[in-house]
Amino acid sequence: VSTIASGEFWAFVGVVAGIYTLLALGVQLEFGFAGLLNFGHVAFMAIGAYTMAILVVKSDWSLWLATPAAILVAAFAGVVVGLPTLRLRADYFAIATIAFSEIVRYVATNEDRLTGGSQGTINLAGAGQAASYNGQWERFQDRVQTALHLGSKDVTMLVLVWAVALACTAALYAAGRTPWGRVLRAIREDEDAVASLGKNAFAFKLQALALGSALAGLAGCFYAWQFSFFSPGDFAPLLTFFAWMIVILGGLGRFFAVPVGALVFGVLFAGTRFFDFAPFDWFDSAERAYLRLTLIGLLIIGLVLFRPQGIAGRREELVLE
Amino acid sequence: VFLQLVANGLVTGSVLAIGAVGVSLVYGILRLVNFAYGDVMTFGAFVGVLINVKLGLQMLPAAALAMVATAALSIALEGVLWRPLRARRAGFMSLFLVSIGLALVLRHVIFLVAGPQPRSYDVDPYKVYVLGEVRLSGSQGVAVVSAGVAIVLVALLLGATSLGRTMRAVADDRVLAAVAGIDTGRVVVLTWLVAGLLAGLAGVLAALVQSSFDPNFGFSLLLPIFAAVVLGGIGSAYGALLGGLVLGLATELSTWPELHGGVDPVYKPVVAFAVLIGCLLLRPQGLLGRARTL
């Protein structure tokens, strides 16, 4: 039986799509609503994952305290980055944030004593001891699996991550319909007009960035639990661009377009790994990885050129300018 | 040690400066923040590998052909991608995202064709120039000299030819330039030609200086190049040159032991990124630029 037909494989694809949903919801809030071009989104995912892992391994915190703390630290990092940079023009803001995300990755790679260095979280407790941060998570997952009579660990993770991802999507959908959400969209369209109505546009943008960073931090925690080990290399700028791709693919300006985009992206990205017919069988697995990323690049270009509203976006709501 | 660090800084800086002048020209004329520039440099470096290593030609013809190839690629991309996008009145956001997509395509096509293994040029690695206390490898010497020549040529092109004058006019105000009878389409193609030649040269020289490189190396140079561009004032070619040199010196000198022990060399890229963010925040008009609303 080929892997493509196995339920286990598709459960894995679903889990990854759920984690991407959380990550991309932040981009949707920041760009699709507030118009912020954050190209360093992955940094806040890294900050969330590392904060959770470090608090559990080094400070012996309970996972259930470390996770909210990690999300708060990610949100706080968003505020710290936003305070000086949000007044920059959109393209400068993009370059400043991607530089920030590379600084985070370099620091995580080289500060061995804090993060375990390039070897990843296995070194968190120092060399020679294999550190693990997700014992408590595994026990929780087992309890959920028994309580809900689920077939496997993967399916349990699938249920958990999508429950959280859809809850976040729904909460953001509701928030987007409040006066707060309307102000954000107005900022995206015309910041000066918003300011002239007496609204503090800067404060609203900062809130969007903090909330988006918190979502990235949460995505980082789920990423950490799913793979039970991670290293700085996992948080390369490519991941930020995946999140952007998902938002553009799903449709800008609509939160429910994000899970749609993430699922389509997950199937495209993971599914093509197992295409074993021509022209895919001309390439070995490493080459197919390059081919996949080439196709993703072409898809980004094609979407911007031919369908800027994505799969589920409304053209009248927002088109890329 | 200090003089050696200054020399290394000038080598790094002059390579960054060539790339930065290319990025700055494209931004000035086309208002395009080109995320694909680093990968165009990679393309140039790998064309150099093909000619120098596979075909066994000398470094000089290899570099020249690499520059021609990147210029051809840049002009072809103008034809199939950027011109149609401008015809659709795409905003800077669309152009930005398309350049990211293009960066992914270029990098991974190079991975597909050339493979992930590190490459190096067929040059004598033991050739060393000694000037007083300073030792420069043959590659470093070649990089500084050819970067200097290239920059003088670009400065002459912009400052002393009618083409340069029209380029500056278009950069200043595209509509006004068109009204004044300048063929902006031709200027755009020539801008891509110059920027492409510079990308090829920057790619080959950066590859020579690093001595070993893989298809990711151009992208890793992109942020330092952006930093040089911002430092010099976005859109200013002379500023980009100065920005490159200052950034090269700053990153190398940050490791100087007399400076509170210096920064750990692994953090050299972080110094460049910090300069980038600091400059955006404190002096977005660049070192030479006058303050104005950006």
Side-chain angles (χ1 to χ4, degrees), chain B residues 101-114:
Chain B
L102 178 62
L104 290 178
V105 172
L106 285 176
R107 193 178 329 151
H108 294 101
V109 168
I110 296 169
F111 262 120
L112 260 179
V113 174

Side-chain angles (χ1 to χ4, degrees), chain B residues 87-274:
Chain B
R88 286 160 188 260
R89 309 207 164 278
F92 96 90
M93 217 81 101
S94 306
L95 296 175
F96 212 26
L97 290 168
V98 166
S99 79
I100 286 172
L102 178 62
L104 290 178
V105 172
L106 285 176
R107 193 178 329 151
H108 294 101
V109 168
I110 296 169
F111 262 120
L112 260 179
V113 174
Q117 65 273 31
R119 305 284 186 157
S120 45
Y121 289 131
D122 185 14
V123 289
D124 177 8
Y126 301 109
K127 191 165 161 193
V128 174
Y129 298 110
V130 182
L131 305 159
E133 296 174 45
V134 176
R135 296 164 64 84
L136 284 183
S137 72
S139 307
Q140 286 180 312
V142 168
V144 171
V145 172
S146 39
V149 171
I151 281 158
V152 169
L153 286 179
V154 172
L156 282 177
L157 169 78
L158 286 177
T161 65
S162 64
L163 170 62
R165 217 164 35 243
T166 53
M167 280 172 83
R168 282 182 291 141
V170 174
D172 218 35
D173 190 330
R174 190 194 184 85
V175 178
L176 201 58
V179 170
I182 292 175
D183 180 356
T184 51
R186 181 169 150 270
V187 171
V188 166
V189 171
L190 289 168
T191 305
W192 281 116
L193 173 73
V194 176
L197 291 173
L198 289 171
L201 182 62
V204 170
L205 292 182
L208 261 178
V209 171
Q210 287 197 2
S211 75
S212 153
F213 55 97
D214 67 9
N216 276 323
F217 100 109
F219 185 71
S220 68
L221 287 170
L222 186 68
L223 280 180
I225 286 176
F226 278 173
V229 172
V230 171
L231 203 56
I234 295 193
S236 146
Y238 301 114
L241 162 65
L242 180 74
L245 291 178
V246 170
L247 189 71
L249 286 172
T251 45
E252 290 298 333
L253 288 178
S254 67
T255 62
W256 189 30
E258 306 269 313
L259 214 72
H260 303 287
V263 177
D264 188 333
V266 295
Y267 278 117
K268 276 198 282 191
V270 174
V271 172
F273 302 153

Side-chain angles (χ1 to χ4, degrees), chain A residues 31 37 39 84 87-90 92 94 98 102 106 110-111 238 241 287 290 293-294 297-298 304-305 320-321, chain B residues 27 88 91-94 96-97 100-102 104-105 108 111-112 116 223 234 266-267 269-270 273 280-281:
Chain A
F31 181 67
L37 213 56
F39 276 9
R87 60 192 169 79
L88 294 173
R89 212 176 59 184
Y92 291 9
I98 195 176
E102 286 294 85
Y106 270 94
N110 292 305
E111 290 303 310
L238 199 57
F241 298 143
E287 287 172 337
Y290 305 138
L293 288 162
T294 308
L298 287 174
V304 174
L305 270 174
L320 281 168
E321 58 166 282
Chain B
Y27 182 83
R88 286 160 188 260
F92 96 90
M93 217 81 101
S94 306
F96 212 26
L97 290 168
I100 286 172
L102 178 62
L104 290 178
V105 172
H108 294 101
F111 262 120
L112 260 179
L223 280 180
I234 295 193
V266 295
Y267 278 117
V270 174
F273 302 153
L280 278 174
L281 296 179

